[in-house]
Amino acid sequence: MIRVYFATIFCTVCCVLSLSAQGQTNVSLKKVLPFPIGAAVNAKYLKNNVAYRQLLLAQYNCITTENEMKFKAIHPSKGVYNWINADYIVDFGVKNNLRVHGHTLIWHGSLPLWISKFQGDSVELEAIMKDHIRTVVSRYKNRVASWDVVNEAFNDNGSYKKTIWYKILGPDYIARAFKYAHEADPNAILFFNENANEASPLKRNAVLKLMKKLMARNIPIHGLGMQMHTRLAQPNSGITTAIKTAAATGLQVHLSELDIRIRPYAYSDSTDKAQALKYKFIVTQYNALVPKKQQFGITTWNITDNDSWLNKSKSKPEWPLLFDKNYKPKKAFNAIINSF
Ligand code: G3I
Protein backbone atom coordinates (compact mmCIF):
# COMPACT_ATOMS: atom_id res chain seq x y z
CA MET A 1 0.00 0.00 0.00
CA ILE A 2 2.77 2.40 1.06
CA ARG A 3 4.75 1.37 -2.04
CA VAL A 4 1.81 2.22 -4.30
CA TYR A 5 1.43 5.59 -2.52
CA PHE A 6 5.09 6.54 -3.07
CA ALA A 7 5.00 5.27 -6.66
CA THR A 8 2.01 7.54 -7.36
CA ILE A 9 3.76 10.56 -5.86
CA PHE A 10 6.93 9.73 -7.84
CA CYS A 11 4.96 9.52 -11.11
CA THR A 12 3.17 12.81 -10.43
CA VAL A 13 6.46 14.62 -9.71
CA CYS A 14 8.06 13.14 -12.86
CA CYS A 15 5.08 14.19 -14.91
CA VAL A 16 5.19 17.78 -13.60
CA LEU A 17 8.97 17.99 -14.15
CA SER A 18 8.65 16.64 -17.66
CA LEU A 19 5.89 19.14 -18.48
CA SER A 20 8.00 22.06 -17.33
CA ALA A 21 11.07 20.64 -19.11
CA GLN A 22 9.09 20.72 -22.34
CA GLY A 23 8.17 24.30 -21.62
CA GLN A 24 4.57 23.18 -20.98
CA THR A 25 3.94 22.39 -24.65
CA ASN A 26 1.37 19.84 -23.52
CA VAL A 27 -0.59 22.65 -21.97
CA SER A 28 -2.84 24.54 -24.25
CA LEU A 29 -4.07 28.13 -24.28
CA LYS A 30 -7.38 27.11 -25.80
CA LYS A 31 -8.04 24.59 -23.02
CA VAL A 32 -6.98 26.85 -20.18
CA LEU A 33 -8.37 30.26 -21.13
CA PRO A 34 -12.04 30.95 -20.37
CA PHE A 35 -12.55 32.90 -23.62
CA PRO A 36 -11.66 32.32 -27.30
CA ILE A 37 -7.98 32.68 -28.16
CA GLY A 38 -6.84 33.36 -31.70
CA ALA A 39 -3.83 34.07 -33.84
CA ALA A 40 -3.42 36.00 -37.06
CA VAL A 41 -2.15 33.59 -39.69
CA ASN A 42 -0.88 33.81 -43.21
CA ALA A 43 -1.44 31.36 -46.01
CA LYS A 44 2.25 30.96 -46.87
CA TYR A 45 3.16 29.58 -43.44
CA LEU A 46 -0.01 27.53 -43.13
CA LYS A 47 0.73 25.82 -46.44
CA ASN A 48 4.46 25.26 -46.01
CA ASN A 49 5.33 25.12 -42.34
CA VAL A 50 4.26 22.02 -40.44
CA ALA A 51 5.51 23.28 -37.05
CA TYR A 52 3.50 26.48 -37.50
CA ARG A 53 0.35 24.55 -38.38
CA GLN A 54 0.74 22.13 -35.49
CA LEU A 55 1.33 24.88 -32.96
CA LEU A 56 -1.72 26.76 -34.21
CA LEU A 57 -3.96 23.71 -33.93
CA ALA A 58 -2.61 22.73 -30.52
CA GLN A 59 -2.96 26.17 -28.94
CA TYR A 60 -5.63 28.30 -30.61
CA ASN A 61 -9.33 28.05 -31.44
CA CYS A 62 -9.67 31.12 -33.68
CA ILE A 63 -7.79 32.63 -36.62
CA THR A 64 -7.63 36.03 -38.31
CA THR A 65 -6.38 36.51 -41.87
CA GLU A 66 -3.27 38.66 -41.39
CA ASN A 67 -3.05 39.99 -44.96
CA GLU A 68 -4.99 37.83 -47.40
CA MET A 69 -8.34 39.64 -47.16
CA LYS A 70 -6.93 43.15 -47.42
CA PHE A 71 -8.17 45.12 -50.42
CA LYS A 72 -4.83 44.93 -52.23
CA ALA A 73 -4.64 41.15 -51.86
CA ILE A 74 -8.23 40.21 -52.60
CA HIS A 75 -9.36 42.90 -55.08
CA PRO A 76 -6.15 43.93 -56.88
CA SER A 77 -7.79 45.60 -59.88
CA LYS A 78 -11.25 46.75 -60.83
CA GLY A 79 -13.62 43.78 -61.07
CA VAL A 80 -10.79 41.30 -60.40
CA TYR A 81 -10.90 39.31 -57.20
CA ASN A 82 -8.12 36.98 -56.11
CA TRP A 83 -9.56 34.42 -53.71
CA ILE A 84 -6.84 31.80 -53.63
CA ASN A 85 -5.12 32.58 -50.32
CA ALA A 86 -8.20 33.82 -48.46
CA ASP A 87 -10.10 30.69 -49.53
CA TYR A 88 -7.22 28.54 -48.33
CA ILE A 89 -7.28 30.08 -44.85
CA VAL A 90 -11.07 30.00 -44.52
CA ASP A 91 -11.23 26.37 -45.67
CA PHE A 92 -8.43 25.48 -43.25
CA GLY A 93 -10.26 27.21 -40.39
CA VAL A 94 -13.63 25.64 -41.10
CA LYS A 95 -12.11 22.18 -41.57
CA ASN A 96 -10.27 22.45 -38.26
CA ASN A 97 -13.13 23.94 -36.30
CA LEU A 98 -11.45 27.31 -35.81
CA ARG A 99 -13.55 30.47 -35.65
CA VAL A 100 -12.48 32.64 -38.59
CA HIS A 101 -12.25 36.44 -38.28
CA GLY A 102 -12.01 38.46 -41.51
CA HIS A 103 -9.52 41.33 -41.60
CA THR A 104 -10.27 43.83 -43.06
CA LEU A 105 -12.90 45.27 -45.40
CA ILE A 106 -12.25 49.01 -45.39
CA TRP A 107 -8.82 50.38 -44.50
CA HIS A 108 -6.44 52.94 -45.96
CA GLY A 109 -3.46 50.56 -45.68
CA SER A 110 -2.76 47.85 -48.24
CA LEU A 111 -4.80 49.48 -51.00
CA PRO A 112 -4.22 48.67 -54.67
CA LEU A 113 -3.26 51.62 -56.86
CA TRP A 114 -6.66 51.72 -58.54
CA ILE A 115 -8.12 52.73 -55.15
CA SER A 116 -5.28 54.71 -53.56
CA LYS A 117 -4.99 56.85 -56.71
CA PHE A 118 -8.75 56.94 -57.31
CA GLN A 119 -9.78 60.05 -59.28
CA GLY A 120 -13.54 59.56 -59.69
CA ASP A 121 -16.47 60.95 -57.72
CA SER A 122 -18.28 59.88 -54.57
CA VAL A 123 -21.01 57.98 -56.45
CA GLU A 124 -18.42 55.81 -58.13
CA LEU A 125 -16.37 55.19 -54.97
CA GLU A 126 -19.50 54.39 -52.97
CA ALA A 127 -20.44 51.78 -55.58
CA ILE A 128 -16.94 50.30 -55.39
CA MET A 129 -17.04 50.15 -51.58
CA LYS A 130 -20.49 48.53 -51.63
CA ASP A 131 -19.52 45.99 -54.30
CA HIS A 132 -16.29 45.15 -52.48
CA ILE A 133 -17.95 44.57 -49.11
CA ARG A 134 -20.89 42.64 -50.55
CA THR A 135 -18.74 40.43 -52.76
CA VAL A 136 -16.22 39.55 -50.06
CA VAL A 137 -18.68 39.09 -47.18
CA SER A 138 -21.16 37.06 -49.26
CA ARG A 139 -18.46 34.70 -50.47
CA TYR A 140 -17.63 33.74 -46.89
CA LYS A 141 -21.18 33.95 -45.48
CA ASN A 142 -21.62 31.58 -42.54
CA ARG A 143 -17.95 30.56 -42.70
CA VAL A 144 -16.28 33.77 -41.61
CA ALA A 145 -17.93 34.47 -38.25
CA SER A 146 -16.87 38.07 -37.86
CA TRP A 147 -15.28 41.00 -39.70
CA ASP A 148 -13.16 44.05 -39.05
CA VAL A 149 -15.42 46.19 -41.21
CA VAL A 150 -13.52 49.45 -40.80
CA ASN A 151 -9.94 49.53 -39.58
CA GLU A 152 -7.97 52.48 -38.12
CA ALA A 153 -10.18 55.46 -38.97
CA PHE A 154 -8.69 57.89 -36.43
CA ASN A 155 -5.47 59.80 -35.86
CA ASP A 156 -3.88 59.79 -32.42
CA ASN A 157 -5.29 63.30 -31.77
CA GLY A 158 -8.84 61.99 -32.24
CA SER A 159 -9.45 63.53 -35.68
CA TYR A 160 -10.53 61.37 -38.60
CA LYS A 161 -7.70 60.09 -40.80
CA LYS A 162 -7.99 61.79 -44.16
CA THR A 163 -8.04 58.54 -46.09
CA ILE A 164 -9.36 58.14 -49.62
CA TRP A 165 -12.62 56.84 -48.11
CA TYR A 166 -13.00 59.84 -45.81
CA LYS A 167 -11.95 62.43 -48.38
CA ILE A 168 -14.37 61.28 -51.07
CA LEU A 169 -17.23 59.74 -49.07
CA GLY A 170 -17.17 61.82 -45.87
CA PRO A 171 -17.15 60.44 -42.29
CA ASP A 172 -20.39 58.53 -42.73
CA TYR A 173 -18.62 55.99 -44.95
CA ILE A 174 -18.13 54.07 -41.71
CA ALA A 175 -21.83 53.66 -40.97
CA ARG A 176 -22.57 52.68 -44.56
CA ALA A 177 -19.77 50.10 -44.60
CA PHE A 178 -21.41 48.40 -41.61
CA LYS A 179 -24.82 48.42 -43.32
CA TYR A 180 -23.43 46.82 -46.48
CA ALA A 181 -21.62 44.13 -44.48
CA HIS A 182 -24.74 43.37 -42.46
CA GLU A 183 -26.87 43.10 -45.61
CA ALA A 184 -24.38 40.60 -47.04
CA ASP A 185 -24.29 38.40 -43.93
CA PRO A 186 -26.82 39.24 -41.21
CA ASN A 187 -25.24 36.66 -38.88
CA ALA A 188 -21.71 38.04 -39.02
CA ILE A 189 -20.37 39.87 -35.97
CA LEU A 190 -19.18 43.25 -37.18
CA PHE A 191 -16.28 45.13 -35.59
CA PHE A 192 -14.76 48.56 -35.74
CA ASN A 193 -11.03 47.95 -35.21
CA GLU A 194 -8.58 50.59 -33.98
CA ASN A 195 -4.99 50.82 -32.78
CA ALA A 196 -3.36 52.64 -29.85
CA ASN A 197 -6.54 52.79 -27.72
CA GLU A 198 -4.34 52.14 -24.69
CA ALA A 199 -1.77 54.79 -25.61
CA SER A 200 -3.85 57.71 -26.83
CA PRO A 201 -6.76 59.04 -24.70
CA LEU A 202 -7.84 61.42 -27.50
CA LYS A 203 -8.13 58.60 -30.00
CA ARG A 204 -9.82 56.37 -27.44
CA ASN A 205 -12.45 59.01 -26.71
CA ALA A 206 -13.07 59.62 -30.41
CA VAL A 207 -13.60 55.88 -30.95
CA LEU A 208 -15.96 55.61 -27.97
CA LYS A 209 -17.95 58.63 -29.17
CA LEU A 210 -18.30 57.06 -32.60
CA MET A 211 -19.41 53.72 -31.12
CA LYS A 212 -22.15 55.50 -29.13
CA LYS A 213 -23.32 57.44 -32.18
CA LEU A 214 -23.47 54.36 -34.39
CA MET A 215 -25.33 52.38 -31.75
CA ALA A 216 -27.80 55.24 -31.16
CA ARG A 217 -28.53 55.19 -34.92
CA ASN A 218 -29.05 51.41 -34.86
CA ILE A 219 -26.18 50.88 -37.26
CA PRO A 220 -25.39 47.14 -37.22
CA ILE A 221 -22.15 47.29 -35.27
CA HIS A 222 -21.52 44.53 -32.75
CA GLY A 223 -17.99 44.85 -31.55
CA LEU A 224 -15.00 47.01 -30.81
CA GLY A 225 -11.59 45.64 -31.70
CA MET A 226 -8.60 47.08 -29.90
CA GLN A 227 -5.48 45.99 -31.70
CA MET A 228 -3.13 46.23 -28.69
CA HIS A 229 0.14 46.31 -30.59
CA THR A 230 1.72 47.45 -27.40
CA ARG A 231 5.13 47.70 -25.76
CA LEU A 232 6.89 46.98 -22.50
CA ALA A 233 7.09 50.70 -21.77
CA GLN A 234 3.30 51.23 -22.09
CA PRO A 235 1.90 52.10 -18.63
CA ASN A 236 -0.64 49.58 -17.38
CA SER A 237 -3.11 52.33 -16.49
CA GLY A 238 -3.80 53.06 -20.19
CA ILE A 239 -4.43 49.38 -20.83
CA THR A 240 -6.90 49.13 -17.96
CA THR A 241 -8.77 52.27 -19.05
CA ALA A 242 -8.96 51.09 -22.66
CA ILE A 243 -10.42 47.72 -21.63
CA LYS A 244 -12.83 49.23 -19.08
CA THR A 245 -14.20 51.88 -21.41
CA ALA A 246 -14.58 49.41 -24.26
CA ALA A 247 -16.51 47.07 -21.97
CA ALA A 248 -18.78 49.96 -20.92
CA THR A 249 -20.05 50.29 -24.52
CA GLY A 250 -21.82 46.94 -24.14
CA LEU A 251 -20.26 45.80 -27.43
CA GLN A 252 -18.25 42.62 -27.94
CA VAL A 253 -14.64 43.40 -27.06
CA HIS A 254 -11.80 41.86 -29.08
CA LEU A 255 -8.12 42.38 -28.29
CA SER A 256 -7.54 41.82 -31.94
CA GLU A 257 -3.81 42.11 -32.75
CA LEU A 258 -1.98 41.66 -29.47
CA ASP A 259 1.80 41.73 -29.37
CA ILE A 260 4.28 43.32 -26.95
CA ARG A 261 7.45 44.95 -28.23
CA ILE A 262 10.60 44.78 -26.11
CA ARG A 263 12.44 47.62 -27.87
CA PRO A 264 13.83 50.14 -27.06
CA TYR A 265 15.05 47.89 -24.26
CA ALA A 266 17.53 45.16 -25.04
CA TYR A 267 16.35 41.57 -25.00
CA SER A 268 17.45 39.86 -21.75
CA ASP A 269 16.16 37.48 -19.14
CA SER A 270 14.71 40.41 -17.24
CA THR A 271 12.90 41.99 -20.22
CA ASP A 272 11.60 38.52 -21.10
CA LYS A 273 10.19 38.32 -17.54
CA ALA A 274 8.79 41.86 -17.77
CA GLN A 275 7.06 40.93 -21.02
CA ALA A 276 5.56 37.86 -19.33
CA LEU A 277 4.14 40.07 -16.57
CA LYS A 278 2.70 42.47 -19.14
CA TYR A 279 1.03 39.63 -21.06
CA LYS A 280 -0.35 38.25 -17.80
CA PHE A 281 -1.64 41.71 -16.87
CA ILE A 282 -3.42 42.25 -20.20
CA VAL A 283 -5.00 38.81 -20.33
CA THR A 284 -6.18 38.81 -16.70
CA GLN A 285 -7.49 42.40 -16.96
CA TYR A 286 -9.45 41.42 -20.06
CA ASN A 287 -11.00 38.51 -18.20
CA ALA A 288 -11.74 40.58 -15.09
CA LEU A 289 -13.07 43.75 -16.73
CA VAL A 290 -15.00 42.50 -19.76
CA PRO A 291 -18.29 40.81 -18.85
CA LYS A 292 -18.44 37.20 -20.01
CA LYS A 293 -21.07 37.80 -22.71
CA GLN A 294 -18.89 40.53 -24.27
CA GLN A 295 -15.70 38.45 -24.31
CA PHE A 296 -15.16 37.90 -28.02
CA GLY A 297 -11.61 36.87 -27.21
CA ILE A 298 -7.96 37.76 -27.63
CA THR A 299 -5.97 37.35 -30.83
CA THR A 300 -2.18 37.57 -31.03
CA TRP A 301 -0.73 39.03 -34.22
CA ASN A 302 0.71 35.78 -35.58
CA ILE A 303 2.12 32.88 -33.54
CA THR A 304 5.87 32.97 -32.99
CA ASP A 305 8.55 35.67 -32.90
CA ASN A 306 9.73 34.21 -36.17
CA ASP A 307 6.49 35.05 -38.00
CA SER A 308 5.79 38.48 -36.54
CA TRP A 309 5.41 41.54 -38.78
CA LEU A 310 7.85 43.21 -36.36
CA ASN A 311 10.61 40.86 -37.50
CA LYS A 312 10.67 41.74 -41.18
CA SER A 313 13.90 43.68 -40.78
CA LYS A 314 16.75 41.37 -39.80
CA SER A 315 18.81 44.26 -38.42
CA LYS A 316 16.22 45.16 -35.75
CA PRO A 317 14.96 41.94 -34.21
CA GLU A 318 11.91 41.89 -31.93
CA TRP A 319 10.45 39.32 -29.53
CA PRO A 320 6.76 40.25 -29.37
CA LEU A 321 4.80 36.97 -29.15
CA LEU A 322 4.14 33.99 -26.87
CA PHE A 323 6.36 31.50 -28.74
CA ASP A 324 10.01 31.97 -29.64
CA LYS A 325 11.78 31.62 -32.97
CA ASN A 326 12.11 27.87 -32.40
CA TYR A 327 8.35 27.56 -31.80
CA LYS A 328 8.88 26.95 -28.08
CA PRO A 329 6.71 28.63 -25.43
CA LYS A 330 8.21 31.70 -23.77
CA LYS A 331 7.84 32.95 -20.22
CA ALA A 332 4.84 34.96 -21.41
CA PHE A 333 3.05 31.75 -22.40
CA ASN A 334 3.70 30.17 -19.00
CA ALA A 335 2.65 33.35 -17.19
CA ILE A 336 -0.73 33.30 -18.97
CA ILE A 337 -1.28 29.59 -18.43
CA ASN A 338 -0.42 29.85 -14.74
CA SER A 339 -2.91 32.68 -14.19
CA PHE A 340 -5.94 30.54 -15.05
O1 G3I B 1 4.02 38.86 -49.86
C1 G3I B 1 4.83 39.91 -50.42
C2 G3I B 1 6.04 39.36 -51.07
O2 G3I B 1 5.64 38.56 -52.17
C3 G3I B 1 6.94 40.50 -51.52
O3 G3I B 1 8.11 40.01 -52.07
C4 G3I B 1 7.28 41.41 -50.32
C5 G3I B 1 8.12 42.61 -50.74
O4 G3I B 1 7.90 43.72 -49.90
O5 G3I B 1 6.08 41.87 -49.78
C6 G3I B 1 5.24 40.83 -49.30
O6 G3I B 1 4.07 41.43 -48.79
C7 G3I B 1 4.21 42.06 -47.54
C8 G3I B 1 3.18 41.42 -46.59
O7 G3I B 1 3.17 42.12 -45.36
C9 G3I B 1 3.48 39.94 -46.31
O8 G3I B 1 4.70 39.80 -45.64
C10 G3I B 1 3.89 43.54 -47.71
O9 G3I B 1 4.92 44.15 -48.47
C11 G3I B 1 3.79 44.21 -46.35
O10 G3I B 1 3.34 45.56 -46.53
C12 G3I B 1 2.78 43.48 -45.49
O11 G3I B 1 2.75 44.06 -44.21
C13 G3I B 1 1.59 43.83 -43.44
C14 G3I B 1 1.01 45.18 -43.02
O12 G3I B 1 -0.07 44.97 -42.14
C15 G3I B 1 0.48 45.97 -44.22
O13 G3I B 1 -0.61 45.32 -44.81
C16 G3I B 1 1.97 43.01 -42.23
O14 G3I B 1 2.38 41.70 -42.63
C17 G3I B 1 0.78 42.89 -41.29
O15 G3I B 1 1.17 42.25 -40.10
C18 G3I B 1 0.29 44.29 -40.95
O16 G3I B 1 -0.85 44.15 -40.13
C19 G3I B 1 -1.41 45.37 -39.66
C20 G3I B 1 -2.91 45.15 -39.58
O17 G3I B 1 -3.41 44.77 -40.83
C21 G3I B 1 -3.62 46.42 -39.09
N1 G3I B 1 -3.07 46.85 -37.82
C22 G3I B 1 -1.62 47.03 -37.79
C23 G3I B 1 -0.92 45.75 -38.24
C24 G3I B 1 0.58 45.88 -38.15
O18 G3I B 1 1.05 46.85 -39.02
Side-chain angles (χ1 to χ4, degrees):
M1 181 68 189
I2 289 176
R3 216 184 280 162
V4 171
Y5 177 73
F6 280 112
T8 310
I9 291 185
F10 179 74
C11 285
T12 310
V13 170
C14 287
C15 184
V16 169
L17 287 178
S18 115
L19 268 183
S20 62
Q22 291 166 30
Q24 297 197 351
T25 38
N26 292 341
V27 183
S28 146
L29 293 166
K30 67 179 177 185
K31 288 190 191 137
V32 169
L33 291 177
F35 45 76
I37 179 79
V41 292
N42 56 59
K44 196 164 89 186
Y45 293 139
L46 268 190
K47 282 180 194 168
N48 304 324
N49 186 333
V50 179
Y52 181 88
R53 220 163 42 223
Q54 283 175 345
L55 194 52
L56 171 71
L57 292 175
Q59 295 293 337
Y60 296 90
N61 46 28
C62 310
I63 50 175
T64 297
T65 46
E66 184 179 12
N67 288 314
E68 290 77 356
M69 287 182 173
K70 289 173 181 169
F71 212 121
K72 190 176 182 178
I74 212 165
H75 195 173
S77 37
K78 193 165 185 177
V80 176
Y81 285 88
N82 174 7
W83 304 112
I84 296 172
N85 287 331
D87 279 3
Y88 183 86
I89 295 180
V90 175
D91 291 345
F92 180 89
V94 170
K95 190 170 134 219
N96 289 291
N97 219 8
L98 301 163
R99 186 182 71 190
V100 183
H101 181 68
H103 173 86
T104 170
L105 296 167
I106 297 297
W107 187 32
H108 59 280
S110 274
L111 284 177
L113 283 178
W114 73 282
I115 297 293
S116 60
K117 300 265 182 249
F118 181 79
Q119 296 289 334
D121 62 13
S122 62
V123 175
E124 197 186 340
L125 190 62
E126 184 80 22
I128 290 171
M129 176 170 88
K130 191 171 175 178
D131 166 72
H132 177 80
I133 293 175
R134 285 191 165 168
T135 307
V136 176
V137 174
S138 323
R139 181 175 185 89
Y140 299 115
K141 190 173 176 182
N142 298 325
R143 291 193 296 150
V144 167
S146 51
W147 289 95
D148 288 331
V149 177
V150 177
N151 189 44
E152 297 173 17
F154 290 101
N155 292 309
D156 284 351
N157 67 7
S159 62
Y160 278 107
K161 280 202 169 112
K162 306 299 179 281
T163 66
I164 188 85
W165 308 109
Y166 179 93
K167 281 194 288 192
I168 298 189
L169 303 177
D172 218 37
Y173 80 90
I174 298 178
R176 294 198 299 278
F178 277 89
K179 281 192 195 163
Y180 299 146
H182 186 63
E183 281 161 18
D185 184 357
N187 294 322
I189 305 170
L190 304 181
F191 282 83
F192 177 83
N193 197 46
E194 189 54 90
N195 63 10
N197 305 267
E198 72 287 8
S200 163
L202 291 173
K203 179 184 270 189
R204 185 165 63 231
N205 291 338
V207 171
L208 295 170
K209 210 166 130 193
L210 174 68
M211 296 302 101
K212 280 189 195 147
K213 271 195 194 161
L214 295 176
M215 289 162 79
R217 286 170 59 193
N218 284 324
I219 300 296
I221 178 166
H222 314 114
L224 173 56
M226 298 195 290
Q227 296 185 3
M228 209 56 81
H229 290 291
T230 193
R231 54 187 73 229
L232 225 46
Q234 168 63 43
N236 283 345
S237 56
I239 295 172
T240 301
T241 311
I243 296 177
K244 254 190 200 163
T245 50
T249 61
L251 292 164
Q252 295 285 302
V253 178
H254 186 197
L255 300 191
S256 55
E257 305 185 14
L258 175 62
D259 50 27
I260 303 179
R261 263 174 263 196
I262 301 276
R263 284 177 181 276
Y265 304 115
Y267 185 71
S268 66
D269 195 50
S270 80
T271 49
D272 199 30
K273 277 186 192 143
Q275 185 191 50
L277 287 179
K278 196 80 154 179
Y279 261 110
K280 175 179 169 171
F281 180 79
I282 292 174
V283 172
T284 53
Q285 287 278 285
Y286 177 84
N287 193 43
L289 299 175
V290 180
K292 198 87 222 139
K293 64 177 193 322
Q294 289 169 255
Q295 290 182 357
F296 188 75
I298 297 183
T299 297
T300 59
W301 206 237
N302 229 311
I303 302 176
T304 78
D305 289 345
N306 198 38
D307 329 307
S308 168
W309 66 292
L310 293 165
N311 266 325
K312 282 185 183 154
S313 139
K314 297 280 172 237
S315 61
K316 266 191 158 189
E318 257 298 351
W319 304 266
L321 290 166
L322 300 177
F323 298 91
D324 70 16
K325 291 184 174 147
N326 299 314
Y327 293 72
K328 294 283 176 257
K330 291 163 59 182
K331 288 189 176 63
F333 171 88
N334 294 325
I336 293 177
I337 292 284
N338 293 333
S339 314
F340 287 88

